[in-house]
Amino acid sequence: MENLVVAQIESIVRLVPVFPLLGFLINGIFNKKFSEKAVGWIGSSSVFISFVLSLWSFFLLLSLPPEMRSIESSWFTWIASGSFSSAMAFLYDPLSAVMMLVVTGVGFLIHVYSAGYMRGDGGVSRYFSFLNLFTFAMLLLVMANNLLLLYFGWEGVGLCSYLLIGFWFRKKSAADAGKKAFIVNRIGDFGFGLGIMLLFWTFAAAGRPTINLLLITQAAPELLAGTGIVTVITLLLFLGATGKSAQLPLYVWLPDAMEGPTPVSALIHAATMVTAGVYMVARLSALYVLSPISMAVVAIVGAATALFAATIGTVQNDIKRVLAYSTISQLGYMFLACGVGAFASGIFHLMTHAFFKALLFLSAGSVMHALAGELDMRKMGGVKKYMPVTFAAMFIATLAISGVPLLSGFFSKDEILLNAFTSPFGSPILWALALLAAILTAFYMFRLLFLTFYGPSRMEPEVEHHAHESPRIMTVPLLLLAFLSIIGGYLGFPRVFGGGAWFERFLEPALARSQAADSHLSHSTELLLMLSSVAAAGLGIYLAYNFYIAIPERPKRMAEKFKGLYNIVLNKYYVDEFYNSVFVQPFITLSLFLWKITDVRIVDAAANGLASFFGWFAGQSRFVQTGRFRNYALVFVIGVVILVGFVFLR
């Protein structure tokens, strides 16, 4: 019976990435034959079918005992060179099952929302084909059973991010943002590629050449434990994660990615691309736990990024950029969890974050849709009365991300804070940094809510006249995501309240045993840490209320009082300017110099010199070509005489 279930899962899993690929091909090739509505239906239904298949395979997986919940399904060998070969093969286990449900489930809702949001754009077929391709690439990434296929999906989402961020390519800022995302990710991907090659070389040198993820995780403790090479490998792999998941110092592409359509921001920031790095670290957790140095680097970078991005989010005025820095900060939380060995907690927060962050972006898009594209929160206010459904959805998402009890974000964030404090890989300093980031998160999210929906209207008269609730095709996905943002955290209901931490136990077979949090931690200590996270959320909400509702003139006074610090944070610590002056401009200068030396003075000079020589030679020898028969006959006779003389005189 169990073998029959395994065979069923293998058959179903193979089909999951096929339908988004078909959607991409149909909308991409036959786009002119379908109406805008039909294009939306094709794009959305292809992902919905994949979601249904993912859900079906998930319930089948639950019916198997934990020791059998790791299934490989191979189609065909797609690369073969000498003794090396790589198959188009998938690994289906609890980790990939969760990721597939997140990608297809949240992705489907974003596709449906897009059908309303992009209506009348003019490039809808191109948009949905790119969106389907993005989903296909992300599914390959999370389903791959080997590093080469994973890398193929990794680069695929990078390509699609470039296409979607720069979707409105006639807009210079959007085109520039797409290029920035692509180039910055190339830096991280270079390290990621080196890490994969070094890992393969290390296993090959030990007589076990493989890129199979299961074989690597099984053999890693034997081959890599106590070696320095595992630190080098994991740090190179983590460099790829810092680029793809927008961590310090390679986070700078993500805020600019807001230039793309808002549903793209929701897809990139919630369910797909930016979570790829977290997934990769969790998938290779068996390698990371062998290197305390790498674990410390992951934790420190995560905590620093969480706090750094949160400070920037407190003063941004563009509603989407606040959410962008929020994403960077929340990803920092996920890496902090992985760095302290709580890999399941990191994936748990990845899942809950997908719900409430997709909801936040889509709600922001709904506000923009109602306010004629307005992004500046200083030109909003009082929107609540025009958009009650959008307000309710965004209010729930704001409560969730702030860590308010009984919503999804509370459970996942509390687990991370708990593990940051109690794990052998954690420390009180990491916990304190994460707690401070939690206070700032609640502050800037309620600042966004208050500035947008509360207070007197600051909208332009024509904008306010245009304000209205979004159509049902946009609000229904909001309500479904709001429901998930409420209940999603109960999968990891804490033991202190009688829960069984089901989500952690479900993922256990797919992740390394890291001794993350002490399972024998006293209830009083756990409750105290939980109360501290609740207090952090409460403090952030109170400060936001005090600043933007009770005494709305206070932010301006504070900005004037601390003008220097305010300008530094408002200008994002001038990191982009620093990168531009230290890296971008010197490379441009060097490129121009090399162009003048190699192209102008060598290549062009050689080509021009050669052309000039032949021009001179032709000019000097053209008198030979007179066009007169007697001259040619004379030359012919002279030639014959010379040849005859040469023959008789030799």
Side-chain angles (χ1 to χ4, degrees):
M1 181 64 181
E2 290 173 347
N3 290 333
L4 181 61
V5 172
V6 170
Q8 279 184 291
I9 291 175
E10 287 185 18
S11 301
I12 296 168
V13 165
R14 291 178 185 177
L15 296 175
V16 172
V18 170
F19 289 97
L21 181 61
L22 286 175
F24 160 69
L25 293 173
I26 292 170
N27 277 332
I29 297 172
F30 305 107
N31 59 84
K32 294 182 180 179
K33 296 185 178 181
F34 299 117
S35 66
E36 188 177 279
K37 187 175 181 180
V39 166
W41 272 101
I42 292 168
S44 300
S45 60
S46 65
V47 180
F48 178 71
I49 294 171
S50 293
F51 170 68
V52 171
L53 293 173
S54 298
L55 196 61
W56 185 11
S57 56
F58 173 75
F59 284 115
L60 288 173
L61 189 71
L62 288 179
S63 68
L64 294 173
E67 64 273 11
M68 292 188 67
R69 293 177 183 171
S70 183
I71 301 165
E72 290 187 286
S73 177
S74 181
W75 269 17
F76 55 87
T77 298
W78 67 310
I79 293 178
S81 177
S83 60
F84 174 80
S85 65
S86 177
M88 180 65 71
F90 302 132
L91 170 61
Y92 191 70
D93 65 0
L95 179 57
S96 56
V98 169
M99 294 299 298
M100 288 163 63
L101 285 172
V102 169
V103 171
T104 56
V106 177
F108 165 66
L109 295 177
I110 293 171
H111 276 69
V112 173
Y113 178 97
S114 295
Y117 187 87
M118 297 297 290
R119 184 172 294 160
D121 180 85
V124 173
S125 58
R126 179 166 58 92
Y127 172 84
F128 273 100
S129 63
F130 290 166
L131 220 58
N132 281 168
L133 183 61
F134 203 140
T135 306
F136 166 73
M138 189 66 191
L139 285 171
L140 282 188
L141 193 159
V142 300
M143 295 173 65
N145 88 324
N146 62 81
L147 284 169
L148 193 60
L149 187 58
L150 188 154
Y151 190 76
F152 184 78
W154 185 279
E155 292 299 326
V157 295
L159 169 64
C160 293
S161 70
Y162 165 75
L163 296 172
L164 286 167
I165 293 168
F167 177 75
W168 290 314
F169 56 87
R170 290 185 177 89
K171 183 181 175 186
K172 186 178 185 303
S173 57
D176 289 344
K179 287 185 288 186
K180 185 175 184 179
F182 193 79
I183 292 168
V184 172
N185 271 276
R186 295 287 69 70
I187 299 170
D189 293 354
F190 178 70
F192 187 51
L194 287 178
I196 292 174
M197 288 186 281
L198 183 58
L199 182 61
F200 174 76
W201 178 84
T202 303
F203 273 71
R208 302 188 192 178
T210 184
I211 54 172
N212 181 284
L213 289 165
L214 278 181
L215 295 178
I216 288 171
T217 54
Q218 290 167 3
E222 177 188 346
L223 298 182
L224 299 177
T227 66
I229 196 70
V230 69
T231 299
V232 178
I233 290 170
T234 48
L235 288 179
L236 285 171
L237 295 174
F238 183 60
L239 179 60
T242 60
K244 199 66 70 183
S245 296
Q247 297 294 282
L248 289 170
L250 299 179
Y251 72 94
V252 292
W253 67 269
L254 194 141
D256 289 5
M258 298 301 98
E259 293 291 341
T262 300
V264 169
S265 303
L267 190 65
I268 291 177
H269 291 214
T272 55
M273 179 173 169
V274 296
T275 60
V278 180
Y279 165 78
M280 183 271 292
V281 172
R283 174 58 75 191
L284 295 174
S285 55
L287 300 181
Y288 279 89
V289 295
L290 299 176
S291 173
I293 294 175
S294 294
M295 292 289 283
V297 169
V298 173
I300 292 169
V301 169
T305 303
L307 182 58
F308 177 82
T311 60
I312 299 176
T314 59
V315 297
Q316 295 299 301
N317 297 310
D318 183 311
I319 189 171
K320 287 178 66 177
R321 285 186 178 266
V322 173
L323 297 179
Y325 283 104
S326 167
T327 297
I328 297 170
S329 182
Q330 296 305 304
L331 287 164
Y333 266 102
M334 298 173 207
F335 280 111
L336 170 62
C338 292
V340 299
F343 298 102
S345 299
I347 298 300
F348 186 28
H349 195 57
L350 183 156
M351 181 189 71
T352 61
H353 176 263
F355 301 149
F356 57 69
K357 184 51 62 67
L359 179 55
L360 285 167
F361 269 111
L362 297 186
S363 298
S366 183
V367 171
M368 292 169 58
H369 184 266
L371 304 186
E374 183 60 67
L375 287 166
D376 193 336
M377 296 183 296
R378 295 170 297 184
K379 298 179 181 179
M380 296 182 186
V383 177
K384 176 182 176 183
K385 63 182 178 182
Y386 299 107
M387 309 184 70
V389 177
T390 299
F391 164 73
M394 199 162 202
F395 182 65
I396 291 170
T398 302
L399 291 173
I401 193 174
S402 299
V404 172
L406 304 183
L407 281 89
S408 61
F410 163 74
F411 296 107
S412 58
K413 189 176 289 188
D414 179 69
E415 269 199 25
I416 294 173
L417 289 167
L418 174 69
N419 284 294
F421 191 87
T422 61
S423 168
F425 291 109
S427 76
I429 295 175
L430 292 173
W431 172 81
L433 292 175
L435 193 69
L436 181 55
I439 296 171
L440 294 177
T441 299
F443 174 79
Y444 66 67
M445 286 308 307
F446 271 87
R447 171 181 177 263
L448 180 152
L449 191 77
F450 293 146
L451 284 175
T452 303
F453 293 99
Y454 286 86
S457 173
R458 300 178 298 277
M459 294 179 277
E460 298 290 339
E462 61 272 16
V463 172
E464 187 165 9
H465 178 72
H466 182 268
H468 61 282
E469 185 59 88
S470 297
R472 280 188 297 175
I473 197 170
M474 294 172 63
T475 55
V476 170
L478 297 185
L479 295 175
L480 291 172
L481 285 168
F483 177 70
L484 292 171
S485 297
I486 295 171
I487 69 164
Y490 289 88
L491 293 174
F493 200 73
R495 292 185 178 91
V496 69
F497 292 137
W502 179 87
F503 192 81
E504 181 180 344
R505 289 188 291 105
F506 176 68
L507 287 180
E508 194 174 79
L511 301 174
R513 297 183 179 276
S514 56
Q515 302 176 331
D518 186 356
S519 59
H520 302 292
L521 186 70
S522 68
H523 283 191
S524 59
T525 303
E526 188 172 351
L527 282 172
L528 186 62
L529 291 170
M530 186 178 292
L531 286 173
S532 68
S533 68
V534 175
L539 178 58
I541 295 170
Y542 167 75
L543 290 173
Y545 177 83
N546 189 265
F547 272 59
Y548 296 98
I549 298 294
I551 314 174
E553 65 274 10
R554 175 170 284 181
K556 186 176 180 181
R557 293 205 306 261
M558 293 289 288
E560 291 173 350
K561 185 176 180 180
F562 301 100
K563 189 174 182 180
L565 178 61
Y566 176 78
N567 285 332
I568 289 173
V569 181
L570 182 64
N571 288 283
K572 301 159 288 186
Y573 298 98
Y574 297 98
V575 173
D576 280 297
E577 290 79 1
F578 173 77
Y579 284 176
N580 185 63
S581 60
V582 174
F583 298 109
V584 178
Q585 291 305 320
F587 272 104
I588 291 175
T589 302
L590 178 62
S591 299
L592 290 173
F593 172 76
L594 293 175
W595 168 68
K596 289 178 181 178
I597 294 297
T598 59
D599 195 53
V600 176
R601 297 186 181 179
I602 298 177
V603 177
D604 285 356
N608 292 337
L610 197 61
S612 298
F613 168 75
F614 280 108
W616 171 84
F617 180 78
Q620 295 299 314
S621 58
R622 66 183 176 182
F623 71 90
V624 178
Q625 302 294 331
T626 63
R628 296 176 179 176
F629 178 77
R630 61 176 179 270
N631 292 346
Y632 298 152
L634 178 62
V635 172
F636 177 75
V637 171
I638 293 171
V640 171
V641 171
I642 293 172
L643 286 174
V644 171
F646 176 76
V647 171
F648 283 101
L649 294 175
R650 48 183 297 195

